[in-house]
Amino acid sequence: MLGHDPGNDAKRLNSFLQECRTLGGLRGFKHFEVFMRGREELLLLIPSSPGHKYEASTLMPKQVHAHSPLYDSQHTPRPERMPINPSDQELKKLPDTTVLLITGYSRYKCPYIYIRSSAEEDELSDAPLHLETTEMWRRKDVPLWEMVLEVLGLVMTSCPSNPFQLDHAYLEALPVEESVLLTGALLNFLQNIWIQADPSKEFVDAVYEDIKALQTRHLSAMYDYTTLNFNLEQQVAN
C-alpha cells in the first residue's frame, strides 16, 4: 500500500499541498472562498448568504490572517487530532459562515479536514471529519477539488448544481492587471476539473460553460492590458 512507503507519502503530501496553494490563491467563486493560512493549512469559507464576499480584493480578510502556532514538542496532540488554538476563535467573528480547515500536516502524512466555525455548532471538535475522499487518499491520489466538492455537499443546506460556479460580476469588476492573472489561474483550475471529473457528473457541463466564458474574458483582459501598456509607452516616448 502507498501508506507503507514514507518517502512516497511525503511526495504525495507535497503534491497535495501544492494543490492547496494553487486553490488558495484563487478568488471569484460564487459559493465559497479560500485562503492559505500558513504552509500546511487552507481555509475554506462557506457563507450562508449566496454571493457574499469578505473582501473586494485578493487580500486575506484580517479575521483569517492569524497564523497557527507550532505545536509545543512537549504537548504533542493525539494522532489525527488538531487542538483548537486561540487563533481559531477569530474565525467565529465571520458572520453566518462555516469555516473548514483543510490540512496537510507533515506529521500525519495525509490530508485531514476540520470544522473551525459553524453557525450550527457552538462547540467544535478537534477530530477531523470522516470523509470518503480523505480516506480514499490513503490508497490513491485524490484531487483537492473532489474533497472540496464532498465538503460543500455536506455543509450546504442546498448544494448548487455547480459548486464551482464563478461570480462573473466579481471578475468583471477587477482591475485589468489582476483580471489577467486571475482569469488565467481560474482557467487552469477549471480545466483540470473538467478533465478529471466523471463526465456523467451534473456540474461538468456547467464547468465547461464557465471555461468558455473565462477564455473570452481572459483574452479580453490580455488585449486591454496590452493596449494599456502600449499607450503608456507611447506617452512616455512623447
Side-chain angles (χ1 to χ4, degrees):
M1 292 180 62
L2 289 173
H4 294 167
D5 183 348
N8 193 51
D9 281 348
K11 291 179 182 178
R12 294 176 64 231
L13 189 63
N14 282 333
S15 295
F16 172 77
L17 288 173
Q18 182 57 52
E19 287 186 80
C20 289
R21 288 188 284 271
T22 298
L23 178 57
L26 299 180
R27 303 292 179 269
F29 295 105
K30 193 167 188 177
H31 303 294
F32 63 89
E33 295 270 8
V34 279
F35 302 97
M36 286 300 295
R37 189 182 73 171
R39 191 177 65 85
E40 300 175 321
E41 299 179 336
L42 173 70
L43 287 169
L44 173 64
L45 286 64
I46 307 173
S48 301
S49 303
H52 175 74
K53 294 294 176 188
Y54 301 101
E55 290 283 338
S57 72
T58 57
L59 297 176
M60 182 184 293
K62 62 181 180 180
Q63 291 96 331
V64 300
H65 192 56
H67 179 69
S68 294
L70 296 174
Y71 292 119
D72 187 324
S73 59
Q74 296 180 350
H75 297 86
T76 303
R78 296 189 301 276
E80 302 183 8
R81 289 185 174 268
M82 207 278 289
I84 300 171
N85 63 58
S87 64
D88 291 320
Q89 302 301 323
E90 294 296 308
L91 300 175
K92 294 182 179 180
K93 296 180 182 179
L94 294 171
D96 301 321
T97 302
T98 298
V99 182
L100 295 110
L101 187 64
I102 301 174
T103 68
Y105 296 133
S106 57
R107 67 170 59 210
Y108 298 150
K109 296 183 173 59
C110 61
Y112 286 111
I113 301 178
Y114 306 82
I115 293 181
R116 277 296 170 261
S117 177
S118 173
E120 306 297 328
E121 300 290 340
D122 294 327
E123 297 295 331
L124 301 178
S125 171
D126 63 352
L129 295 173
H130 295 287
L131 302 172
E132 291 183 9
T133 48
T134 52
E135 287 299 315
M136 190 182 302
W137 192 93
R138 295 171 178 271
R139 302 186 298 275
K140 65 176 186 177
D141 290 334
V142 176
L144 174 60
W145 67 262
E146 287 192 12
M147 298 182 188
V148 173
L149 182 66
E150 183 179 5
V151 165
L152 291 174
L154 291 174
V155 170
M156 301 182 77
T157 304
S158 177
C159 192
S161 57
N162 177 18
F164 299 103
Q165 181 181 358
L166 297 179
D167 184 345
H168 289 282
Y170 172 83
L171 297 176
E172 180 69 30
L174 290 174
V176 63
E177 298 87 353
E178 194 169 338
S179 180
V180 169
L181 296 174
L182 184 55
T183 54
L186 284 169
L187 266 173
N188 182 66
F189 178 74
L190 292 184
Q191 285 171 347
N192 283 335
I193 292 179
W194 187 70
I195 291 170
Q196 296 169 356
D198 184 340
S200 65
K201 294 294 184 180
E202 180 183 2
F203 66 89
V204 172
D205 289 340
V207 166
Y208 182 65
E209 292 302 315
D210 266 341
I211 288 174
K212 291 193 295 183
L214 263 182
Q215 288 172 333
T216 300
R217 188 179 298 281
H218 182 65
L219 290 174
S220 177
M222 285 289 293
Y223 176 80
D224 292 342
Y225 180 72
T226 303
T227 302
L228 177 64
N229 278 275
F230 176 78
N231 291 339
L232 289 174
E233 289 175 0
Q234 291 294 102
Q235 291 176 14
V236 172
N238 294 332

